[in-house]
Amino acid sequence: MSLQFNVLDMACAACSDTITKAVLALDPTASVQADLKTKQVKVETQASEAAIKNAVEAAGYPVA
């Protein structure tokens, strides 16, 4: 499943690393692409959209 989220609080490489780690902790086979300029995170995963969104938010990054 291909998902895309706007993460307005993502400001630096450390932010994108934290988000990536949160997603991979939920689905180790996921592919995560975080674009700091557009503040968009694209995820290819087998996990549900709600689970991925919750993982990102639990890491401290609200999803818009």
Side-chain angles (χ1 to χ4, degrees):
M1 173 183 337
S2 182
L3 305 172
Q4 184 170 317
F5 301 105
N6 290 320
V7 184
L8 302 179
D9 289 347
M10 182 174 62
C12 63
C15 298
S16 63
D17 287 347
T18 300
I19 292 168
T20 299
K21 288 176 185 175
V23 172
L24 293 178
L26 181 66
D27 179 3
T29 64
S31 169
V32 182
Q33 295 178 338
D35 187 328
L36 294 173
K37 288 183 181 179
T38 63
K39 301 199 182 285
Q40 291 185 337
V41 177
K42 295 179 183 178
V43 181
E44 288 287 335
T45 182
Q46 297 303 312
S48 72
E49 181 175 355
I52 296 296
K53 183 177 176 180
N54 288 341
V56 172
E57 290 183 340
Y61 296 92
V63 175

